[in-house]
Amino acid sequence: MDCIFCKIINGDIPSTKVYEDEWVYAFKDINPMAPVHILVIPKEHICCANAVNAENSHYVARIFEAIPKIAADAGLENGYRIISNCGPDADQTVLHLHFHILGGKKLYSQLV
Ligand code: AMP
Ligand code: ZN
């Protein structure tokens, strides 16, 4: 499958890994939008939030169990934002479910 994030999980494309377990892989975003910008992805190819279902939702649960550890390791004790873009109107550019963790500075509440 021609998926850049599947290739990152497989090690075919390099990444700066910050966390990994049986279900979850997390790495630094190549184009950071904040002092800390980490992407957290399932180790199974799920295109986006629309494709989450009863068979694969445990990946999402594992991701959210991992996020507090990833955030603590990144020094985000003062808070952070989690974003997942789904589909063209959200400008999703990589069609493998991912959660952006953004932090390291004060982020204001305007989302769009
Ligand atoms: P989205 O627009 O929500 O689909 O986000 C995709 C994110 O993947 C963007 O923030 C990109 O900077 C990031 N990205 C794309 N390719 C890579 C890569 N090879 N390594 C790390 N991050 C990447
Ligand atoms: Zn993939």
Side-chain angles (χ1 to χ4, degrees):
M1 188 186 301
D2 195 26
C3 169
I4 187 172
F5 286 177
C6 282
K7 288 178 180 166
I8 283 176
I9 292 164
N10 293 335
D12 296 333
I13 292 176
S15 66
T16 305
K17 178 172 81 173
V18 298
Y19 178 87
E20 182 174 16
D21 64 30
E22 193 177 340
W23 305 276
V24 178
Y25 191 85
F27 55 104
K28 291 187 179 175
D29 195 292
I30 204 167
N31 184 25
M33 298 292 182
V36 175
H37 188 170
I38 292 167
L39 299 173
V40 192
I41 64 176
K43 283 189 168 177
E44 177 172 290
H45 183 84
I46 301 168
C47 75
C48 56
N50 279 344
V52 175
N53 56 40
E55 278 69 50
N56 62 27
S57 61
H58 61 283
Y59 281 95
V60 179
R62 296 295 185 178
I63 283 170
F64 275 81
E65 288 172 39
I67 281 174
K69 298 179 223 172
I70 295 166
D73 287 349
L76 299 177
E77 49 280 311
N78 217 31
Y80 53 91
R81 181 167 292 162
I82 303 165
I83 295 174
S84 187
N85 295 318
C86 180
D89 273 6
D91 206 19
Q92 183 184 7
T93 59
V94 179
L95 298 182
H96 182 127
L97 179 66
H98 53 280
F99 295 85
H100 299 256
I101 299 177
L102 294 155
K105 71 171 186 180
K106 172 72 179 170
L107 301 170
Y108 291 91
S109 58
Q110 186 165 350
L111 290 175
V112 291

